[in-house]
Every structure is written in C-alpha cells, then in structure tokens.
Amino acid sequence: MAYISNGLWRLTPRRAASVLLACSIVLGMRSATVACVLYDPNETPKVVDLGPTPVPPMTTKELAEILRKARMPQAEAVATLPGFVQESTLDFLGGATYLKVTLDRAFRSEIYHFVRKDDRLNFIPPGREGWNEIVNHFDVSVRDPDTALRYVQWLLDATSEGSFWLVQSVDGVPFLPENREDKSHQARIAEARAKLEGKVEAPRVEAKEGVYLVQQDAVVGRSLVRYTVRVSKLGLPTVETTTLAEDLPVVSVG
Amino acid sequence: MASPTSESPTPKPLPTPPPPTPAPTPDPKDKAKFPTADKYACAAMEALAKDIADKIEAKPANGDKTVYPGEDIYNQALKDAKAAGKNDTEAKEAARKALKDALTDGNVVDKGTGETLADKARREWEGAQRGNPVPAPAPVKVPLAVPPATDYMNKCATAGVPLPPKWGDPAWVKKGNLSQVFASKLPTTEVWVAQSPNGVCYALPRIDSGGTIQLLGQICQNPKTGRTCFWDNKDPSDGKTGLAVTPGLGPEKMAGGDKLEENCTECHRGDNAFIVHPGTALEFSGQNPCSGGGSKPTDVAAGAKYTPMGAPKFQNPPDDALDKKLKACNQCHSIPKLSKSYCGTVLEGMIRSKEMPPGGDQSDPDTADDIKTLRAECAKL
C-alpha cells in the first residue's frame, strides 16, 4: 500500500489534456447545486422481484478460455485451480462487466480482477496501477453523487492489497475472533470497539464545484483510514488519506 | 480540484504473475498421520508459519516485495520484542511464535473466502479424505431472482444469512452420525455442514431403517448478526406434507420458516440457533486446531442476538425473571423462556445425559439448585 502511505497522490492519465480541459470548464461554471448524500448502514436493501432466472455467472473454465485466447498470463491459474467468478455490471464504465475471480489455492486464495468491455478484457492490477488502468483504458462517466460513491468504493476495493475492508460503521470492523475464555482479549476488543464508535463514519459524497468529494473509511492493515477522494466527472481521482486509529485488534489477511 | 501533473502517462502495467507456491505442506490425504481435520490443520499452520517466517526474514536479502499472510503481526512482534530489549535471535523467535499463534488462533483470514487459514486447511483435509474437494465458500449475490428463489430465501440472503446448498452439492460436508436419537424416532441421524462467508448451515437428515431420508431439517445462522433461517423437506403449499429427499432438493422447493407448520423455535432458542450436544458430530472444533476441545458452531457475537426469521411464531424470547433465579447455568449461556418442547427435548435431555454442565458434575450446589429451579418452572407449563 505504498501509494496510501504517501497521503496524497494524483493520477497521471493518458487523457490528461482532455480531462484538464473538461475540469477547467466545469470548475468555471461553479455549479450552484451541492448535493450531500448520507448512507445509512442499517438500511436494508429492498428485495425486488427480478423475474426469470438470470444468466448464471461465468465459470472459471469459461473465463480461462477467454484469457487463453487473449494470451493473458492468468489463464493457466484460472484454468487449473478451483474457484468462482463474481460478475457485476458497472454503469460508470459504460456498462462494462467487472469480473472478480477467486481461486482456491492452498492456504491462500488468489484473487484477480478484470474489466470486460466489448471485445476487450483488461486485468486490473492492485494499487495505483489499477487506478491508472481504469482511467487510461475505459471511458469513465461519473454523473451524480451516488455514482461517484460507488465508483470510488469499487476502485478502492478492486485495487486493494492485503488487509483492506471498506467500513461504514464500527460493526464492519473485522475485529479478532472473540474468545469467551480470555477476558483480557475480550476487554481489548471491547475497548477498541468503544474507541472506534465515534470515529467510523458512514460514507458520504458531496457535489462541489463540478467535482465530487467522496469520504470513505476503511480498515487498512491494522489502522482505520479515512479516504477523501475528489473525483471528476471523467473519473479522475485525487486521493487524500488520514489515519484515524492505529494498532487495532483486527484480523490480518492471508 | 487538483489538476493532473505533467508526468508522462503511466505505462501499461505488466500482469501480476501468480504468487510463489508455498513450500510443501503436510499431506491432507495421510489419514494415519492426520486422523482428524484438526490434526492436519495444526500441522499445516505450523508448517505455513515456518514457511512464511523464513520468507519474511529472507526479504531484505532477496528484494522480495510480496506481502505475506500475517506479516504485519510478525513485524509488530519483532518490533515489540526488540523494544523490550531482546536480541535479534530472541526477537525473531518471538515474532515467529506470534505469527504461528495468529495463524492457529484464526487471526489471519483468507481474503477470497473469509475463512480463517485454519478453517481453509480443515476444508482441504475434508476434501482430500472424501476424494472430492469441498468448494470454497462463495458469497451469494442478492437480491436473488424470484422464482426460482423464494421470498423467504431472498429475505434471509438480504439479511446476510447463508442459504443451504442443494442436497448433494459438494459444499455439504458430512461430520458424522449422532449416537443418540433426539427430536425424532428415526434410527439414524447424520450431521452435515455447509460453510459460507456469512456463517454456517447445518442439515440433519433423519434416516429410516431402509436407508431413506425421511426428514431433512436445515438451519443457517449468521454469527455476526445472529439472524437465522430454517427449512424442512415439507411442501411449501401446506408446510407439513413431507417431500421426498432426492439430489438437487434445494431451499427453493422446501418450506422455509415462513411456511412451516411446525415452530422450530419451540426448541431452537437461546444464545444460538444450534443445539449442540457436546462431544458429538454436532460440535465444531475450537478455532485453534492445536488446542483441542470443541466449541459451539456459531458463537453469536457480543452485542448481537440469535434472531430467527420466518413466521411471527418464530421467536427467541428471553426470560429475565428466570435468569435472575439462576446461579450456575447462566454463567456460560442464557436460558431462554421455557417452552414444553424446550423443557422436554433440550433441557431434560441435557440434564439426564449429564451433558450439562460440561464435565457432567451436577453436584455443585449452585448447579443442583438451577436444575431444581428449571424443572420446577418446566412443570408449570
């Protein structure tokens, strides 16, 4: 997570000139509308009738075949290891399909992220390179605060490395498993939980002067980190991080 | 907003190669050496801890940039040991021990499946033993399509409760048979478990003398929220007519807690949905595979409460007045509001078989008083 420890970094996309022009125009307009949306972590998603059975998700074998044809180096691992593929459609990438494949390697799952649009399939590497891959190779369109929040959450998650959890309340913090026999262990977790009660905030997004300002908390390693991401309508992000708490008794990721 | 810098465009990154394969680990097929999943998981965690520690310690010399599981724990322990005045060798030993403890205690989880690495090793052993890998726990995407999913399945999945796989799915792992007969007169009861990132599902097929499954109750619980769902092989149209159990029978065809005529929560009440007879196949291993001993299948997290989902009759009521009268039992777990079924099937069974308190010694005065109190309260029902 070297890019996070830098505190502030900026993307340098290939489309820099066009983005800069677009941003200048938007900034010049000084939008009068400022929208702020708070997300209630307790709100239960609505259950809807989706009608007939959806298309089953892609299997690892099917994905491996696509990767093999594209001569991508992940093809062999995807073909030989058991696992599963999760698919979702990304409206902010023009309806591109996000493919997250989890491969069941002994002692450590291997996770690959891909974005598929038309006849292209791009591997999304972790970290800053992943952000660059998205901004440089896809037409990102962020047109409202809700999309800005989902875009930033997806980017953070899909390009994360190691121990990383997006959180919207203290309930999402992956504390160490409870041990009912070890009172001091329980006390340590209870203390940390109490300490974080007022610190973890629900994600929020604000439209401000032609860009969106997204605030999202995450547990990174053993720290609680607040991401403040300014994202343009073309998806160009500028990330600032603030560490809110350290040395938390949370699980580590293998 | 910050404008982009004038740096050159970032070159397209090279695809990440697969990580190095871990060093050879114990063989999960070796049942003579590893007769139980715990024995294998313990040996595997010890081997893995050594392998990871070796690689972490080699990093300064070989420039390896990989972030290894538990590396932050190793580094923190190394730092703490050095700060405490230990020399380099002693500090490394302390860091290696911290790493091994973290792996065995379940403090390191798999990012893809959410399992602890010890649970992942247990799953590997189960698959190796039966010659058919147990698939990795996969998340369910909600909302589900209705149909084939039922509204109840959707409500359960949306609330984060795992859904039972179809009968015959390799995700079901047989844990063994129960030696005692309870809650049914059928002679054979098997215990099957399916793990999910959200929790665990149990299925207890009750089998007649001809080898046919007559009853297939299934309960799934999310330990973080305590939310729990129920299914049984009953026709959803009336909630009571039995369905033949054949491969592929799934929750979409079975009556759920919203349709079942029988009220599962007459017995399944208390801290956890699962009624665990200690020392039987119902009992899960403790988190630490090296320490031995069992545990409840799901310890509902502090602050959460086992909450059944289904028809309004599916409840888990507490009884504060009763709780105040008890001195021993409620030191470890609560006693819920008593019902005839709970008294007859759960409480009296546990008392008579001396399964409770753990160890079976009911001579302690507080325990003996509790037993009298509970029997007296049950007699009033």
Side-chain angles (χ1 to χ4, degrees):
Chain A
M1 278 290 188
Y3 73 94
I4 287 173
S5 61
N6 290 339
L8 180 70
W9 56 270
R10 293 165 186 168
L11 276 176
T12 57
R14 191 170 291 157
R15 296 184 299 146
S18 61
V19 171
L20 182 58
L21 178 63
C23 291
S24 304
I25 293 168
V26 172
L27 283 169
M29 290 165 70
R30 297 188 64 82
S31 168
T33 309
V34 177
C36 187
V37 182
L38 274 173
Y39 286 79
D40 179 0
N42 298 316
E43 187 178 306
T44 308
K46 289 183 176 60
V47 176
V48 293
D49 183 345
L50 293 183
T53 311
V55 176
M58 186 183 285
T59 64
T60 50
K61 300 286 175 217
E62 290 164 346
L63 178 60
E65 185 57 21
I66 295 168
L67 294 170
R68 191 188 60 75
K69 283 180 183 165
R71 299 187 178 186
M72 295 178 78
Q74 297 83 10
E76 191 187 342
V78 175
T80 53
L81 292 169
F84 55 89
V85 181
Q86 293 166 271
E87 278 185 65
S88 53
T89 303
L90 305 176
D91 56 337
F92 43 77
L93 292 187
T97 303
Y98 168 50
L99 300 164
K100 178 181 178 183
V101 57
T102 302
L103 300 174
D104 196 18
R105 194 181 285 277
F107 303 117
R108 188 181 192 186
S109 290
E110 195 60 33
I111 303 174
Y112 295 138
H113 306 268
F114 301 93
V115 173
R116 190 184 193 191
K117 181 85 196 296
D118 303 325
D119 57 348
R120 279 190 303 145
L121 182 70
N122 289 52
F123 172 73
I124 309 301
R128 182 177 175 171
E129 289 79 6
W131 291 62
N132 281 334
E133 181 73 14
I134 293 299
V135 177
N136 287 350
H137 295 95
F138 292 91
D139 293 326
V140 185
S141 174
V142 179
R143 293 293 169 209
D144 55 71
D146 173 65
T147 308
L149 177 61
R150 287 186 291 104
Y151 171 61
V152 168
Q153 288 176 328
W154 174 76
L155 270 181
L156 288 171
D157 192 50
T159 60
S160 67
E161 291 177 279
S163 300
F164 183 92
W165 287 268
L166 296 176
V167 291
Q168 50 186 358
S169 74
V170 71
D171 292 336
V173 175
F175 289 111
L176 292 173
E178 288 189 32
N179 181 340
R180 294 196 177 199
E181 282 73 48
D182 187 344
K183 300 291 180 197
S184 65
H185 175 79
Q186 278 181 264
R188 188 172 165 235
I189 292 172
E191 188 188 345
R193 191 181 174 85
K195 200 170 121 186
L196 292 186
E197 284 283 358
K199 286 190 177 173
V200 184
E201 291 183 5
R204 63 171 66 204
V205 57
E206 185 181 353
K208 197 172 184 182
E209 297 175 344
V211 297
Y212 299 104
L213 199 59
V214 176
Q215 179 186 295
Q216 172 70 54
D217 291 349
V219 173
V220 183
R222 297 170 72 185
S223 301
L224 174 67
V225 174
R226 175 157 299 155
Y227 287 81
T228 305
V229 184
R230 294 171 72 88
V231 58
S232 75
K233 293 189 175 181
L234 294 178
L236 186 71
T238 307
V239 183
E240 193 176 346
T241 58
T242 310
T243 300
L244 303 176
E246 290 182 303
D247 203 20
L248 298 172
V250 292
V251 296
S252 180
V253 152
Chain B
M1 86 170 254
S3 58
T5 67
S6 58
E7 289 174 38
S8 301
T10 308
K12 186 175 179 180
L14 291 171
T16 307
T21 304
T25 53
D27 181 4
K29 290 179 188 157
D30 188 348
K31 193 156 188 180
K33 199 170 180 184
F34 306 116
T36 65
D38 276 352
K39 297 264 186 214
Y40 170 71
C42 179
M45 290 303 100
E46 285 172 354
L48 183 64
K50 182 183 179 309
D51 180 47
I52 291 171
D54 288 347
K55 284 178 173 147
I56 293 171
E57 288 168 10
K59 281 172 91 168
N62 63 18
D64 179 7
K65 302 281 185 209
T66 310
V67 179
Y68 290 99
E71 186 167 343
D72 53 343
I73 294 163
Y74 176 97
N75 288 337
Q76 185 66 44
L78 188 72
K79 194 175 143 192
D80 291 347
K82 284 184 176 171
K86 293 192 173 171
N87 65 33
D88 196 51
T89 307
E90 291 168 337
K92 280 183 179 169
E93 276 310 305
R96 281 175 174 259
K97 183 179 181 308
L99 176 62
K100 180 175 141 319
D101 289 348
L103 289 173
T104 53
D105 285 344
N107 298 347
V108 183
V109 299
D110 183 86
K111 189 165 190 180
T113 64
E115 301 166 285
T116 68
L117 295 195
D119 278 347
K120 200 166 163 63
R122 287 181 175 114
R123 180 164 60 81
E124 191 189 4
W125 182 89
E126 299 279 5
Q129 291 301 316
R130 71 182 192 185
N132 181 16
V134 181
V140 172
K141 190 176 174 183
V142 289
L144 308 158
V146 185
T150 63
D151 183 51
Y152 183 66
M153 286 170 68
N154 226 329
K155 283 179 178 158
C156 292
T158 304
V161 181
L163 298 178
K166 290 178 193 295
W167 192 241
D169 187 289
W172 283 115
V173 174
K174 186 178 176 185
K175 292 289 181 183
N177 287 6
L178 291 183
S179 54
Q180 75 257 60
V181 173
F182 72 98
S184 133
K185 288 178 180 162
L186 292 162
T188 305
T189 304
E190 295 179 348
V191 179
W192 292 74
V193 169
Q195 302 262 26
S196 124
N198 286 346
V200 63
C201 293
Y202 265 66
L204 264 64
R206 259 81 174 210
I207 303 169
D208 64 21
S209 52
T212 302
I213 296 174
Q214 295 292 347
L215 303 170
L216 186 64
Q218 299 178 345
I219 303 177
C220 301
Q221 183 168 39
N222 179 324
K224 285 185 187 160
T225 65
R227 296 289 190 99
T228 303
C229 292
F230 300 80
W231 286 269
D232 211 342
N233 61 319
K234 307 291 183 193
D235 189 331
S237 64
D238 64 5
K240 61 182 180 183
T241 306
L243 296 175
V245 177
T246 51
L249 180 67
E252 71 283 355
K253 294 175 190 162
M254 299 160 71
D258 59 337
K259 299 270 175 69
L260 282 167
E261 183 185 70
E262 190 177 29
N263 181 357
C264 305
T265 60
E266 286 292 317
C267 283
H268 292 276
R269 52 177 59 192
D271 288 347
N272 288 298
F274 305 109
I275 300 163
V276 177
H277 292 269
T280 69
L282 289 164
E283 191 175 47
F284 256 40
S285 303
Q287 179 52 57
N288 185 331
C290 306
S291 66
S295 73
K296 294 169 210 161
T298 60
D299 254 342
V300 172
K305 182 177 178 292
Y306 153 40
T307 308
M309 294 179 67
K313 67 186 177 187
F314 277 63
Q315 296 287 330
N316 180 25
D319 189 337
D320 294 338
L322 174 62
D323 192 63
K324 282 178 188 154
K325 292 180 191 171
L326 301 175
K327 291 175 263 182
C329 302
N330 56 356
Q331 295 299 306
C332 294
H333 57 80
S334 70
I335 297 285
K337 185 174 173 62
L338 301 175
S339 69
K340 277 188 179 175
S341 299
Y342 185 84
C343 285
T345 306
V346 182
L347 210 51
E348 195 57 43
M350 291 278 186
I351 294 169
R352 283 189 188 168
S353 63
K354 297 199 171 178
E355 289 175 280
M356 283 290 146
D361 181 8
Q362 297 174 349
S363 63
D364 169 73
D366 285 348
T367 302
D369 280 353
D370 277 6
I371 291 172
K372 272 187 205 165
T373 302
L374 291 167
R375 281 181 165 156
E377 292 295 323
C378 283
K380 293 178 191 171
L381 296 172

